[in-house]
Amino acid sequence: MDHFQYQHGELHAEDVPLSRIADQVGSPVYVYSAATLTRHFTLFRQALDWTDHLVCFAVKSNSNLAVLKLMGDLGAGMDVVSGGEYLRAKAAGVPGDRIVFSGVGKTEAEMALAIRGGIRQFNVESEPEMRVLSRVAHGLGATVPIAIRVNPDVDAKTHEKIATGKSENKFGIPIARARDVYAEAATLPGLQVVGVDVHIGSQLTDLEPFRAAYLKVAELTRALREDGHVITRLDLGGGLGIPYRRDNNAPPLPLEYGQVIRDTVGDLGCEIEIEPGRNIVGNAGVLLSQVIYVKNGEDRDFLIVDAAMNDLLRPAMYGAHHDIVPVVEPAVAAAVQSFDVVGPVCESGDTFQKGAQLPDMAAGDLVAFRSAGAYGAVMASEYNSRPLVPEVLVSGDHFAVIRARPTFEEMLARDSIPEWL
Ligand SMILES: *Cc1c(COP(=O)(O)O)cnc(C)c1O
């Protein structure tokens, strides 16, 4: 459920008509609903209320400071994958002891940054990383809690670019070698083994891969305890999918996901961490855009809109689908037409949807790309020198710009021409 509904013939974000945002902020613009964010976070918390837990929001899915502040104030932890994300979480007021640091390529500088600023745990992804972390932590006179990310070799049955739990992926250490790696970890100064970490991919629409992976984690946890390790935390990653099409079978609910966790690892007495991103913020956001031209082609009609692949990369990058809906509610019996919805960028890849079914559209009309809150704004660029897309947060009947659109002057001012040119 989300809070983007038609009211009085017009699509609203909560109680704010999207046309009001377009009037005041211009387009394209991302619009997020605070009520939807809150609701989705709360569902995860409820799904784990049978145990000690921390829901760590995956910052990479949407790292706007206002979104992180909202999450943090609700009690969320943060899962970060870079020094920049760590600093964003801190800037949003999240204490270090609620931040976990994941990622395959943490640098020494990033490690030191997080150790100095305070960290709940590092999720270690390789032996070389583990040795460097030991040296950095020891050098700072610190002992840092770690979980080791294991790769359970489970097929997440998702898009190949976002599957992470197969042995061919770059993530984690093979679960078969885990006992040896934990044995080494226990000997290294500056590290305190506290848990096991796993994350098998994103946009999973079936619970079985989770179940298979978590059963392997449970088995490993028992083995590690036999080896003498004190395992008190399990970080089970993120990845629960969302419905990108209104007309489709909905993926499992957080509550059902929580039940899988309970069934598989619930008897181990561990604190449970999860790292959902997309499921919290995906359907809490839309990308609002305006039609520039309706172009009638030979055998198809194009809707050329002012959003482009630089603003929302997912269709070009993953072949992803986003429902595109008119902001003015179509009449019940309105005839629909087929449009190829495209952006202005000079690449054929800048196509959002072929054959979108929409009512009669004209230049100046507004459309909304649904389910755009996750991996939308964070992947935006200024390709074609289009200023970075702004973001707006709605709560009830008011809204705020939470990232302003840069002016052309600001965009140009970031470059410099060397004096010898
Ligand atoms: C991307 C990522 C997540 C979040 O995945 P979602 O599909 O957005 O829930 C969580 N943990 C790690 C380690 C990730 O890389």
Side-chain angles (χ1 to χ4, degrees):
M1 202 218 111
D2 63 51
H3 294 77
F4 297 92
Q5 309 287 341
Y6 289 108
Q7 293 179 39
H8 319 296
E10 191 186 331
L11 194 61
H12 282 56
E14 302 191 26
D15 294 324
V16 177
L18 289 177
S19 61
R20 192 195 300 164
I21 295 173
D23 281 349
Q24 292 184 25
V25 187
S27 63
V29 56
Y30 279 96
V31 180
Y32 310 125
S33 155
T36 310
L37 285 166
T38 302
R39 178 184 144 80
H40 291 169
F41 173 75
T42 307
L43 289 177
F44 278 103
R45 192 148 60 187
Q46 286 167 353
L48 294 178
D49 67 3
W50 49 272
T51 187
D52 261 5
H53 65 269
L54 185 66
V55 178
C56 295
F57 177 63
V59 172
K60 78 173 190 283
S61 65
N62 187 316
S63 54
N64 188 287
L65 290 183
V67 171
L68 301 185
K69 171 86 163 69
L70 191 157
M71 291 282 132
D73 287 356
L74 290 169
M78 300 282 148
D79 170 50
V80 304
V81 294
S82 71
E85 285 192 357
Y86 176 84
L87 290 174
R88 282 184 175 273
K90 290 299 286 284
V94 180
D97 63 8
R98 277 199 264 141
I99 303 176
V100 303
F101 203 143
S102 303
V104 293
K106 303 174 198 80
T107 64
E108 294 187 31
E110 288 175 316
M111 292 170 180
L113 179 78
I115 294 169
R116 289 205 180 92
I119 190 81
R120 175 180 176 84
Q121 118 209 354
F122 282 93
N123 290 335
V124 171
E125 300 230 12
S126 68
E127 288 144 290
E129 181 200 338
M130 184 169 82
R131 293 170 197 141
V132 169
L133 181 62
S134 164
R135 181 160 48 73
V136 172
H138 190 60
L140 291 170
T143 299
V144 292
I146 65 162
I148 294 177
R149 177 165 176 182
V150 293
N151 186 323
D153 195 22
V154 164
D155 184 356
K157 301 198 185 78
T158 184
H159 190 281
E160 58 167 335
K161 286 186 184 163
I162 51 176
T164 57
K166 283 288 283 175
S167 56
E168 71 219 41
N169 301 129
K170 67 182 176 183
F171 299 96
I173 57 151
I175 199 160
R177 287 225 335 275
R179 287 173 87 163
D180 291 344
V181 179
Y182 274 88
E184 183 185 346
T187 69
L188 293 175
L191 305 183
Q192 184 200 359
V193 171
V194 297
V196 179
D197 172 45
V198 71
H199 170 74
I200 58 174
S202 197
Q203 186 54 17
L204 274 72
T205 53
D206 180 358
L207 291 175
E208 287 319 304
F210 286 119
R211 188 183 302 279
Y214 297 168
L215 282 172
K216 290 189 177 188
V217 167
E219 191 188 320
L220 174 65
T221 302
R222 291 194 186 90
L224 293 173
R225 284 176 170 171
E226 273 171 33
D227 294 346
H229 301 285
V230 181
I231 304 294
T232 57
R233 276 182 204 165
L234 299 179
D235 183 335
L236 300 176
L240 188 62
I242 61 169
Y244 276 100
R245 295 172 195 265
R246 300 280 120 170
D247 54 359
N248 226 17
N249 290 343
L253 300 171
L255 204 61
E256 301 168 277
Y257 171 66
Q259 190 59 44
V260 169
I261 294 175
R262 189 170 192 167
D263 292 346
T264 50
V265 301
D267 61 342
L268 293 168
C270 287
E271 181 178 10
I272 303 295
E273 296 164 346
I274 55 171
E275 304 167 343
R278 188 191 310 270
N279 203 288
I280 290 178
V281 71
N283 279 325
V286 299
L287 174 61
L288 182 60
S289 180
Q290 189 173 42
V291 176
I292 308 176
Y293 297 114
V294 180
K295 177 173 169 180
N296 303 114
E298 284 274 279
D299 61 348
R300 62 188 62 219
D301 294 332
F302 295 97
L303 213 56
I304 303 172
V305 298
D306 65 1
M309 63 188 283
N310 69 298
D311 305 306
L312 177 62
L313 187 58
R314 298 189 66 260
M317 174 110 164
Y318 312 115
H321 170 93
H322 288 267
D323 280 349
I324 302 169
V325 295
V327 166
V328 173
E329 186 172 19
V332 179
V336 291
Q337 266 174 265
S338 189
F339 292 101
D340 284 9
V341 182
V342 301
V345 160
C346 300
E347 287 202 25
S348 294
D350 188 23
T351 296
F352 290 115
Q353 204 184 117
K354 293 192 167 164
Q357 300 296 302
L358 287 160
D360 195 25
M361 301 293 290
D365 288 351
L366 294 170
V367 294
F369 293 77
R370 285 193 180 271
S371 310
Y375 307 104
V378 285
M379 295 177 89
S381 74
E382 291 187 336
Y383 187 37
N384 277 216
S385 287
R386 296 165 46 85
L388 199 61
V389 59
E391 298 168 277
V392 158
L393 182 64
V394 171
S395 179
D397 62 2
H398 58 279
F399 72 88
V401 175
I402 57 173
R403 173 181 283 170
R405 189 189 315 276
T407 63
F408 286 115
E409 291 70 30
E410 286 164 344
M411 188 172 74
L412 267 54
R414 289 203 306 267
D415 295 8
S416 50
I417 297 175
E419 60 190 24
W420 40 264
L421 270 189

